[in-house]
Structure formats: structure tokens, C-alpha cells
């Protein structure tokens, strides 16, 4: 990645296929990332930066590049600087949507309203997650979100996969709360997989038409 890529806010360049096949190492790294995301996300407003830095960390691991915890910690600080307002707005938006979801029980057509609210929440999470997955140091959050919204519409299958992953993680936590220490890593892994899938599709346009 060139210096211009890191500072322009355009997001990462088209990546090479992630080819590391050490499944046991990947599992261990996913668990480490999950614990890091869980701890750093305790204030809630730091969740988005934590995911953004963790995606870059997991990509480095898959590409066989240096992936130290010190580098992860430093990038979380940088991500918090770049994405602070996204991390602040997301919990507030989800809180408002959650309140409306609860209040929908007392309005006519509440079932339809609840479905709409859930769809809005899912779309919001997908756009923010895909934006975090493309973050590079110095990137502008507004540009990342705009590009993520475009990708989310163009790649409905990838967006649906993220919704399924988020739903599965929510179910795991509902079943066993201590799994909060794991699900962050699973979300990061899903984001890496979906964005790499998009890169590969863009690299081979004929495959996207098939």
C-alpha cells in the first residue's frame, strides 16, 4: 500500500487473495481478536474503531505479514482518531431504533413497524461494518461510509452474509453471555471474508456475470 492510499481516504487498494491456510492459527488469531474487540468496546463508542483495526490485523495474519498485538493496539488508537464520530453515532442510532422497536408494540400495525425497524438496523450495521473493514490510517469516515453504502447495494449477497453473521453472533451471546469474548472475532472474520470476496469479484468481472 502506498502512502497515497493511506492518506487519501479512498480505502485499501484491491487486495491479493488471502491465501494463508493455517486453520489452527486463524482460529487462535480470531479468538485473540475477539477478546481484544470485546475489551476495547466496553465504552461502546470504541467498538467501530476496534473492529476496523482488528480487520487490518487479521488481514495481515492471513497474508503472512507481521501481526503483533502491539501493532493492533497502536492501530486501534489511530482508528479511534479517524472514526470517533462513527463510533459515537452508531450506539445512539441503535438505541433510538431499539426504543422505537419497543414502542411499536403499542401502535397499530406494530408488527410491520418492527420489521421495518429491524431492516433499518441491519442495513445500518452492514454499512458501518463494511466501512470499518475498508479503513486505512488517515481515511475519511464520510468517504468510507459513502463507498460502503454503494458496495452494500451492489453486493447484496455479501451484505446478506454479514446480516446472517451478525444474527448468528447475537444468538450465540443470547445463549451464552461469556461468548461476548468470541463473537467480536467472528464478526471481524466475516467482514474480512465478505470484503475479500468483493475484491475478487471486482478483479474478475466475468465471474460476477456468471
Amino acid at each position: 500500500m502506498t502512502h497515497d492510499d493511506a492518506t487519501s481516504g479512498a480505502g485499501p487498494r484491491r487486495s491479493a487473495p488471502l491465501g494463508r491456510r493455517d486453520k489452527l492459527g486463524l482460529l487462535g488469531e480470531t479468538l485473540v481478536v475477539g477478546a481484544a474487540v470485546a475489551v476495547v468496546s466496553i465504552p461502546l463508542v470504541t467498538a467501530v474503531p476496534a473492529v476496523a483495526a482488528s480487520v487490518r490485523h487479521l488481514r495481515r495474519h492471513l497474508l503472512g505479514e507481521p501481526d503483533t498485538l502491539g501493532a493492533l493496539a497502536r492501530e486501534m488508537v489511530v482508528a479511534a482518531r479517524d472514526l470517533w464520530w462513527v463510533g459515537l453515532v452508531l450506539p445512539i442510532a441503535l438505541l433510538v431504533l431499539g426504543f422505537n422497536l419497543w414502542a411499536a408494540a403499542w401502535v397499530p400495525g406494530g408488527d410491520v413497524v418492527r420489521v421495518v425497524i429491524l431492516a433499518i438496523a441491519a442495513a445500518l450495521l452492514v454499512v458501518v461494518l463494511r466501512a470499518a473493514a475498508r479503513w486505512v490510517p488517515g481515511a475519511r469516515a464520510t468517504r468510507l461510509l459513502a463507498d460502503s453504502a454503494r458496495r452494500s447495494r451492489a453486493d447484496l449477497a455479501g451484505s446478506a452474509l454479514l446480516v446472517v453473521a451478525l444474527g448468528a453472533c447475537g444468538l450465540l451471546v443470547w445463549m451464552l453471555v461469556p461468548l461476548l469474548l468470541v463473537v467480536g472475532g467472528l464478526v471481524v472474520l466475516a467482514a474480512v471474508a465478505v470484503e475479500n470476496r468483493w475484491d475478487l469479484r471486482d478483479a474478475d468481472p466475468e465471474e460476477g456475470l456468471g
Side-chain angles (χ1 to χ4, degrees), residues 1 19 25-26 54 58 64 87 92 130 142 149 165 177-178 189 201:
M1 182 177 301
L26 176 59
S54 296
L58 198 58
I92 295 173
R130 297 192 77 149
T142 51
V177 175
L189 182 61
R201 194 186 83 164

Short mmCIF file of all heavy atoms in Angstrom, two decimals, residues 1 19 25-26 54 58 64 87 92 130 142 149 165 177-178 189 201:
data_model
loop_
_atom_site.label_atom_id
_atom_site.label_comp_id
_atom_site.label_asym_id
_atom_site.label_seq_id
_atom_site.Cartn_x
_atom_site.Cartn_y
_atom_site.Cartn_z
N MET A 1 0.85 -1.20 0.00
CA MET A 1 0.00 0.00 0.00
C MET A 1 0.88 1.24 0.00
O MET A 1 1.82 1.34 0.76
CB MET A 1 -0.89 0.00 1.24
CG MET A 1 -1.84 1.19 1.29
SD MET A 1 -2.91 1.07 2.73
CE MET A 1 -3.70 -0.49 2.43
N GLY A 19 -4.37 -15.94 1.16
CA GLY A 19 -4.05 -17.33 0.87
C GLY A 19 -3.50 -18.14 2.01
O GLY A 19 -3.12 -19.28 1.83
N GLY A 25 -4.02 -21.65 13.32
CA GLY A 25 -3.53 -20.30 13.61
C GLY A 25 -4.60 -19.26 13.41
O GLY A 25 -4.70 -18.30 14.18
N LEU A 26 -5.43 -19.44 12.38
CA LEU A 26 -6.52 -18.50 12.12
C LEU A 26 -7.53 -18.53 13.26
O LEU A 26 -8.03 -17.48 13.68
CB LEU A 26 -7.20 -18.83 10.79
CG LEU A 26 -8.41 -17.98 10.42
CD1 LEU A 26 -8.04 -16.51 10.35
CD2 LEU A 26 -9.02 -18.46 9.11
N SER A 54 -8.97 -4.30 13.93
CA SER A 54 -8.88 -5.75 14.00
C SER A 54 -8.98 -6.39 12.62
O SER A 54 -8.35 -7.43 12.36
CB SER A 54 -9.98 -6.30 14.91
OG SER A 54 -9.80 -5.85 16.24
N LEU A 58 -6.21 -8.93 11.20
CA LEU A 58 -6.49 -10.27 10.72
C LEU A 58 -6.06 -10.43 9.26
O LEU A 58 -5.59 -11.51 8.86
CB LEU A 58 -7.98 -10.58 10.87
CG LEU A 58 -8.38 -12.06 10.80
CD1 LEU A 58 -7.65 -12.85 11.88
CD2 LEU A 58 -9.88 -12.22 10.98
N GLY A 64 0.30 -13.41 5.96
CA GLY A 64 1.61 -13.80 6.44
C GLY A 64 2.50 -12.63 6.80
O GLY A 64 3.73 -12.78 6.87
N GLY A 87 -18.19 5.88 15.67
CA GLY A 87 -18.35 5.09 16.89
C GLY A 87 -19.31 5.72 17.88
O GLY A 87 -19.98 5.01 18.64
N ILE A 92 -25.90 5.49 19.48
CA ILE A 92 -27.05 6.36 19.67
C ILE A 92 -28.16 5.98 18.70
O ILE A 92 -29.34 5.88 19.08
CB ILE A 92 -26.65 7.83 19.48
CG1 ILE A 92 -25.67 8.25 20.58
CG2 ILE A 92 -27.87 8.74 19.48
CD1 ILE A 92 -25.10 9.64 20.39
N ARG A 130 -18.96 -2.65 6.90
CA ARG A 130 -18.20 -2.68 5.65
C ARG A 130 -17.29 -1.46 5.53
O ARG A 130 -16.20 -1.54 4.97
CB ARG A 130 -19.15 -2.78 4.45
CG ARG A 130 -19.96 -4.06 4.44
CD ARG A 130 -20.68 -4.30 3.12
NE ARG A 130 -19.75 -4.77 2.11
CZ ARG A 130 -20.09 -5.59 1.10
NH1 ARG A 130 -21.34 -6.01 0.98
NH2 ARG A 130 -19.20 -5.96 0.21
N THR A 142 -16.45 9.86 6.23
CA THR A 142 -17.58 10.13 5.33
C THR A 142 -17.40 9.41 4.00
O THR A 142 -18.36 8.86 3.45
CB THR A 142 -17.70 11.64 5.09
OG1 THR A 142 -16.43 12.18 4.70
CG2 THR A 142 -18.18 12.35 6.35
N ALA A 149 -21.86 2.21 1.52
CA ALA A 149 -23.27 2.17 1.14
C ALA A 149 -23.42 1.71 -0.31
O ALA A 149 -24.30 0.91 -0.64
CB ALA A 149 -23.90 3.54 1.33
N ALA A 165 -24.23 -13.37 9.69
CA ALA A 165 -23.15 -13.47 10.68
C ALA A 165 -23.48 -12.69 11.95
O ALA A 165 -23.28 -13.19 13.07
CB ALA A 165 -21.84 -12.97 10.07
N VAL A 177 -23.75 -15.74 27.50
CA VAL A 177 -23.19 -14.39 27.54
C VAL A 177 -21.66 -14.35 27.47
O VAL A 177 -21.10 -13.47 26.81
CB VAL A 177 -23.69 -13.64 28.80
CG1 VAL A 177 -23.02 -12.29 28.93
CG2 VAL A 177 -25.21 -13.47 28.73
N PRO A 178 -20.93 -15.28 28.11
CA PRO A 178 -19.46 -15.23 28.02
C PRO A 178 -18.92 -15.30 26.59
O PRO A 178 -17.76 -14.95 26.36
CB PRO A 178 -19.01 -16.44 28.84
CG PRO A 178 -20.11 -16.63 29.84
CD PRO A 178 -21.37 -16.31 29.09
N LEU A 189 -13.87 -11.64 11.25
CA LEU A 189 -13.57 -12.65 10.24
C LEU A 189 -14.60 -12.60 9.10
O LEU A 189 -14.24 -12.71 7.92
CB LEU A 189 -13.57 -14.04 10.88
CG LEU A 189 -13.21 -15.22 9.96
CD1 LEU A 189 -11.81 -15.05 9.39
CD2 LEU A 189 -13.31 -16.53 10.74
N ARG A 201 -14.29 -10.50 -6.86
CA ARG A 201 -15.32 -10.33 -7.89
C ARG A 201 -14.99 -9.16 -8.79
O ARG A 201 -15.16 -9.21 -10.01
CB ARG A 201 -16.69 -10.11 -7.25
CG ARG A 201 -17.84 -10.27 -8.24
CD ARG A 201 -19.17 -9.92 -7.60
NE ARG A 201 -19.40 -8.48 -7.62
CZ ARG A 201 -20.60 -7.93 -7.40
NH1 ARG A 201 -21.63 -8.70 -7.14
NH2 ARG A 201 -20.75 -6.63 -7.44
#
